[in-house]
Amino acid sequence: MITLHRILVPTDFSEHSRQALRYGVAFAEKFGAELYLLHVFQDVSVYQPDAVTVGPPVMPVAELTAAARATLARLIEENHLEHLQVHAEVREGSPVEEIVDYAHEKAVDLIVIATHGRGWLAHLLLSSVAEKVVRKAPCPVMAVHLTEREFVRP
């Protein structure tokens, strides 16, 4: 028998992530599980060589964190998740590493993550966060993409 107590839905606030959230919510309701929402942002200045960087980062980390927390709160409100036990967190770093670390820390039973449709060349060059999370996660991972046929209805 499968039991789920803690479900993690990483989000980048995209439409793809909203689709994954729908699945995460459905599983949380079905199993009476806690829902963990995680947003990870990377400091893009880390990836800019000094020669190219003209000014300071676009937005200070504290402002990015506050904006992401506000967006998570709005996401919880807009999706009427008050009936669930929801934990929302914002982290800075590599999305893959932060998602996997968070899943370890919270003893997550299932990760529901969005995939983004890409062409074969972009997939070859970039790989995907979802694909790397599947390989490194300490628990099962459900990868959700925007599709015409779903089993979770709005």
Side-chain angles (χ1 to χ4, degrees):
M1 179 70 177
I2 296 174
T3 58
L4 302 175
H5 301 286
R6 289 171 217 83
I7 299 168
L8 170 59
V9 180
T11 181
D12 61 3
F13 307 123
S14 67
E15 187 58 36
H16 292 267
S17 290
R18 288 178 186 273
Q19 182 76 342
L21 178 61
R22 288 184 49 228
Y23 280 82
V25 168
F27 280 114
E29 289 173 341
K30 177 75 174 170
F31 288 95
E34 296 176 51
L35 186 65
Y36 291 82
L37 301 178
L38 176 65
H39 176 73
V40 180
F41 65 89
Q42 287 182 288
D43 182 358
V44 292
S45 65
V46 170
Y47 301 101
Q48 297 175 345
D50 290 335
V52 177
T53 305
V54 177
V58 177
M59 191 183 272
V61 171
E63 287 182 33
L64 284 171
T65 303
R69 282 193 180 118
T71 305
L72 280 172
R74 193 169 49 252
L75 190 65
I76 292 167
E77 183 182 322
E78 289 172 355
N79 287 280
H80 310 288
L81 304 181
E82 301 81 20
H83 64 288
L84 295 173
Q85 189 172 356
V86 181
H87 309 274
E89 187 164 337
V90 176
R91 291 191 174 186
E92 176 189 8
S94 159
V96 173
E97 299 307 319
E98 292 299 327
I99 292 166
V100 170
D101 288 349
Y102 190 81
H104 274 291
E105 291 169 21
K106 302 299 180 184
V108 166
D109 300 307
L110 175 68
I111 299 172
V112 181
I113 191 167
T115 63
H116 296 272
R118 290 195 182 126
W120 67 270
L121 182 59
H123 178 75
L124 271 176
L125 296 174
L126 301 173
S127 193
S128 76
V129 170
E131 192 173 335
K132 290 175 185 173
V133 168
V134 166
R135 281 188 263 137
K136 295 182 174 189
C139 61
V141 177
M142 178 181 189
V144 177
H145 62 274
L146 289 174
T147 182
E148 293 179 16
R149 192 177 73 208
E150 304 173 32
F151 66 83
V152 171
R153 301 283 182 235

